[in-house]
Structures are given as C-alpha cells and as structure tokens.
Amino acid sequence: MDCEHIRSLFTACQDREISPPDLLAFEAHLAACPHCAREWQDFRKTLRLLQEMRPLPVPSDLLPGIHEKLGQRRGKTRLQELLQRFFPPLPTTAASLAAAALAVMVLIKTHDVSGPETSVLAPSAPIARVEPLDAQEPSLTMPVSVGQPAGDDAGFLPYAAISRPPFPFLLKREATESDLLAAWHDQVAAMGIEGPLGGPSSAPDIVVKVHHLSPEGMDWLHRRIDREGRWQTRGDSRDRFLVLVDPGELSAFYELLQRQHLPFSVHSSPVFERDARKPLLVSVRP
Amino acid sequence: MLKDEAAELVKAFRQGDAQAFNRLVALYQGKVYNLAYSYVKDQEEARDLAQDIFVTVYRSLPGLKDPAKFSSWLYQTAINHCRNRYRRLQRRGFFETQSLDDEESPLQLASGESLEKNIEEQQTASILRAELAKMPEAEKEILILRDLQGLSYEEISETLQVPLGTVKSKLNRARLALKQRLRHLL
C-alpha cells in the first residue's frame, strides 16, 4: 500500500469499516511510515475536535414560534391579499376555466444533435385543451402535434406538443420522469419523426411557464417554493428561476402551482447524461 | 430507539393526535436547530430557519409514505431549507457582516468546569465553525451530517441521495480537507 492509498482508508479505519486484511496492512504501513503516522494522528485529532463540539441549546421559544407560524399560514386573508397583489386578474373566461380545470399543455421539445429542425413537420400552433382534473386517465397513444418554436420559445429546439394528456397522468404520485419519457417516446415514434430521440442523451428537463404572472409574482412564487423547503432553488432572476425536483416529486411540484390557482404549461428541454437519481432541473418562467 | 419513537409519533399524528407533532419537535429540535445554525451561524436566523423547517414538516407529513423513513425525510427537508436560506443570505451579503465574536452562544458553563477550559473550547468551536463555513458545500454538508449530527452512512446516503460508496469516499475527502484547514490548531 502506498501513502495515498493509506490516506484513503483513514475514514474506514476511524469508523471501523475497514476489512481485517486492510487493517493489518494499514497498521504495518503506519509503523513503517512516520509521515502517514503523523497524518493519521492529526486526522483523529481533527475528528475529535469536531465531534466534541457541544450542541447549542435550543431557544425556548422555538416551539411556540412554530405554532405561531402555522397559525399565520392557516389564515387565508394574507394569502388572498398576496394573490390579489401579485397576480393580475384573469379574464373572466380564463378564470372560470382555471377554476373548473387547469389548462395544461405539455410541450416536449425534441433533441436532434444531427442538425437543427431537419425532421420537423409543418409548423402548427400548439394545442391546449382544458382537461378536468378528475378526468379518466387519457390514452397515451393520442395524436401529437409538432410545432416550430416561436415567440418566447424561439431559442428552443423544435417541439412535439402532446395535445391532451399530461396533467392527470403526471399528477399521479407514481408518475416519474421515465413515465414522461416513455409517453414522449411513444408519441414521437408514432409520428415517425427521425432522429436520436431515444437513449439517455435525450431526456428532458422541464420548463414550467406560469401564465399571467408579473415579475413581482415571480418573486413571490420563488419565495413560496423556497419556503416550502421541499426542493432547492437556484438563481434569482426576475424572469426565471430553477428548482431541483426529484423526478418522483414532479407531480407534487405541479400540485403546489395548482393550489395557488396558477395556470401553467410545461415544456421539456434536452439534458445530457441524466441519472435516474438526479433531480430534474425545473426552470420556472412567467 | 429514536427512529422507532418518531415512526410511532408520525402514525399518531396522522391519526389526529395533535400532541404527537409537539413530541416530534421535542425529539428533533436540537438536531434541526444545530443543523440550521451550522449553515447560518446566527442564532436568530437559525431559530427562524428551524421553525420554517418544522412548519414544512407539519404541512408535508401527511404525504410521507413510510413513517419509518421520517428521520431521513426530515433531514432532506431540513437540508433543502438550509441550502436555500444560506444562498439567500449569501446573496444579501449577510455573512460578510458577521464576526467571529457573535457566532457562539453565551457561555454555557457546566458544573465543575473551569471558565478557562470553557472559553478555550468555545474558541476552538468558533474556529472550527468558521473553517467549516469556508468549505465547499458538498464537503461541509457531509461533515455536518456525519460528525456533528451523528448520522449513519446509510442515513446520509438517503438524505443526500447519493450511493453509499460515494458517501464514504466523499466523507474521507472532506475530513482530510478539514484536517488540512485546521493544521495550525493541531
């Protein structure tokens, strides 16, 4: 064993996770190498200092403060006040639709590394339909429309818009990123679009657009998600922030938006080398 | 065991026992408050942060699938809160105005201990916390979870959602890095 390998065993040795043969070799090396022996002593002293640090006493008003905050957040007046302040009123039709059901459109952008937009069908406007949340789970073999990014989406790759399905499907707790991907691949395959759409390099991250939201509303939503504490947030731009969401929690994230009665649409964009354990990078934009 | 007791309290809470939540807080408040403090290094902020963590726990507890996983779930929630608060405070320049002098709590003198020993311990703790604070987030977190909070490798793996082998190798690197930073103290 060389010195570097010995140092890689410090934690295993300290925490008694080392195998007997490794322990013998470890001890033999330390006996013959004063430098490593000194390092090992310093290592142990460092941990002793760290582990002997006394925990700070808990403030006596911690629990009463929790109840106070819970009481505040149970009251709806403040929430209603904030909603009124930050979210411009929706047009009557849209508002009633939002109240009855959330208008959700999932736009899934395809990733084509062989060249931009070569396999895209004729541009068409994305289709959005209102689906009652308690609707029967839609079939995942329904038609898909493909459109050319425009306006805010101009910087993105071409997308396939799944016209009907996603919200009830994604709202299910067990729906994961791989469910989303499977649905996406099925739809795209059914359309005969060519290109490297499958495989690990084409997994999407998600862009959630929250409609009718002012910059102040974005700030508010950012803080709200931050305060929820369930996911990490990144970035503090007024027109965009990021949330790291575990794939299995995607539906919970949508639920949060739904609770605030925020109409939103969901897009996906390509990301590379997605690992199933890594969180989704959800970009929230107005 | 703490975990078993927590699981029972989670079940009781779900069955409508309002006091069960208070007992959960009592079980974990020390760990959560100290975890919060190790990020924000300010008692007021740590208290506020710990309260926010428990508010989230209260509201999200009905969604916890397995009560036996409460501890890991709580730590995940707490870590997310801590990271977000830390970044927010950092953006506001909060840490630039902090001094070492106001980091530690007033002297907590246990009976039979000398004042000198206590002061020395607190100075060491201040230096340790300051050095921890300067470490990269991933190294700092794994040290906090293992060596300050006393979590097992498995609990850290669940909390940080990284494989067990990664926990072990990262922990070793983090401990070596801290040793290097504390060389002048050793």
Side-chain angles (χ1 to χ4, degrees):
Chain A
M1 283 189 184
D2 61 15
C3 295
E4 193 175 337
H5 185 59
I6 287 295
R7 273 168 230 162
S8 74
L9 293 175
F10 277 7
T11 281
C13 194
Q14 172 73 21
D15 294 347
R16 297 166 201 267
E17 294 270 334
I18 194 167
S19 67
D22 276 350
L23 182 59
L24 281 178
F26 184 83
E27 286 173 343
H29 183 96
L30 290 194
C33 177
H35 182 67
C36 282
R38 173 68 197 269
E39 290 288 304
W40 171 236
Q41 289 307 315
D42 286 352
F43 182 86
R44 296 186 66 186
K45 193 170 176 189
T46 300
L47 291 191
R48 200 165 54 244
L49 286 174
L50 195 58
Q51 290 163 356
E52 283 176 357
M53 265 204 315
R54 279 189 210 162
L56 299 176
V58 177
S60 57
D61 57 350
L62 189 84
L63 182 62
I66 293 168
H67 285 290
E68 195 179 320
K69 287 184 178 189
L70 280 169
Q72 278 172 7
R73 290 179 195 183
R74 279 190 202 108
K76 289 187 177 171
T77 316
R78 180 168 162 70
L79 178 60
Q80 284 166 345
E81 224 172 65
L82 284 166
L83 285 170
Q84 205 164 13
R85 182 173 163 199
F86 289 127
F87 305 123
L90 300 174
T92 314
T93 312
S96 59
L97 286 175
L102 200 57
V104 177
M105 175 176 63
V106 169
L107 305 173
I108 300 186
K109 298 176 180 66
T110 61
H111 176 236
D112 186 345
V113 294
S114 62
E117 304 164 22
T118 52
S119 59
V120 180
L121 305 183
S124 64
I127 301 166
R129 288 190 199 173
V130 175
E131 291 288 338
L133 291 180
D134 57 355
Q136 195 178 359
E137 183 178 327
S139 158
L140 295 177
T141 57
M142 61 193 55
V144 176
S145 71
V146 174
Q148 189 71 19
D152 287 348
D153 293 330
F156 288 93
L157 292 164
Y159 54 78
I162 300 178
S163 57
R164 271 186 64 211
F167 200 77
F169 170 66
L170 292 173
L171 195 58
K172 287 165 60 181
R173 283 260 171 216
E174 63 270 27
T176 64
E177 185 190 27
S178 49
D179 295 327
L180 177 65
L181 270 176
W184 175 41
H185 287 155
D186 285 352
Q187 299 295 334
V188 172
M191 294 179 60
I193 297 177
E194 293 177 359
L197 296 167
S201 68
S202 57
D205 269 350
I206 306 292
V207 178
V208 175
K209 286 196 171 188
V210 184
H211 304 295
H212 310 291
L213 201 58
S214 62
E216 291 78 15
M218 279 297 282
D219 276 350
W220 179 86
L221 183 61
H222 187 183
R223 287 198 301 274
R224 172 91 197 179
I225 290 170
D226 206 9
R227 200 176 65 195
E228 284 277 322
R230 300 177 68 165
W231 310 292
Q232 290 178 58
T233 54
R234 295 268 199 282
D236 55 357
S237 153
R238 285 207 132 199
D239 58 0
R240 181 173 181 264
F241 64 89
L242 300 172
V243 191
L244 297 175
V245 178
D246 187 86
E249 284 226 317
L250 189 57
S251 54
F253 180 73
Y254 293 158
E255 278 173 20
L256 181 139
L257 297 172
Q258 187 199 8
R259 279 205 307 272
Q260 309 304 324
H261 302 287
L262 300 176
F264 64 92
S265 59
V266 182
H267 305 230
S268 68
S269 56
V271 71
F272 295 91
E273 297 172 2
R274 163 77 52 215
D275 172 334
R277 292 179 68 92
K278 283 184 185 166
L280 285 168
L281 197 59
V282 176
S283 169
V284 181
R285 304 169 63 189
Chain B
M1 266 179 70
L2 184 68
K3 276 185 164 184
D4 296 337
E5 192 177 353
E8 288 305 312
L9 288 171
V10 170
K11 286 179 199 162
F13 175 74
R14 286 169 160 184
Q15 286 162 3
D17 179 356
Q19 286 304 312
F21 177 73
N22 290 351
R23 293 201 292 277
L24 272 174
V25 173
L27 271 185
Y28 283 94
Q29 62 181 358
K31 287 181 179 295
V32 169
Y33 175 73
N34 276 276
L35 179 71
Y37 185 85
S38 54
Y39 277 81
V40 297
K41 296 198 295 143
D42 177 89
Q43 292 180 65
E44 286 294 312
E45 278 293 336
R47 182 183 54 186
D48 185 59
L49 179 52
Q51 286 170 344
D52 282 354
I53 290 166
F54 282 115
V55 167
T56 298
V57 166
Y58 181 91
R59 294 172 60 211
S60 307
L61 208 46
L64 175 63
K65 284 180 188 164
D66 181 0
K69 301 264 182 193
F70 174 77
S71 181
S72 299
W73 176 79
L74 168 68
Y75 271 105
Q76 276 177 1
T77 304
I79 289 266
N80 283 343
H81 262 289
C82 289
R83 287 173 178 166
N84 291 339
R85 179 71 65 98
Y86 176 80
R87 291 194 185 109
R88 196 194 310 158
L89 293 174
Q90 199 173 34
R91 281 199 299 272
R92 279 172 25 196
F94 177 81
F95 300 109
E96 288 155 26
T97 58
Q98 274 190 322
S99 75
L100 275 182
D101 295 339
D102 54 28
E103 273 180 14
E104 294 300 315
S105 61
L107 288 177
Q108 303 291 319
L109 198 59
S111 59
E113 285 189 343
S114 73
L115 184 62
E116 290 78 9
K117 183 169 182 286
N118 202 274
I119 289 172
E120 190 185 321
E121 269 184 16
Q122 295 217 11
Q123 282 174 338
T124 306
S126 275
I127 295 169
L128 263 171
R129 287 190 196 281
E131 290 300 336
L132 266 177
K134 290 179 203 161
M135 294 180 80
E137 187 174 273
E139 289 187 351
K140 179 174 65 179
E141 276 175 359
I142 208 159
L143 285 173
I144 289 170
L145 292 179
R146 175 67 185 173
D147 294 322
L148 294 183
Q149 296 277 322
L151 265 60
S152 68
Y153 290 167
E154 288 76 12
E155 286 170 319
I156 296 171
S157 167
E158 281 179 15
T159 301
L160 298 179
Q161 299 191 311
V162 294
L164 205 55
T166 309
V167 170
K168 293 176 182 176
S169 57
K170 281 188 169 179
L171 180 62
N172 195 57
R173 278 200 296 276
R175 284 171 165 179
L176 288 171
L178 182 64
K179 173 179 76 67
Q180 197 60 28
R181 287 174 176 274
L182 296 178
R183 190 160 283 279
H184 61 287
L185 261 189
L186 302 173

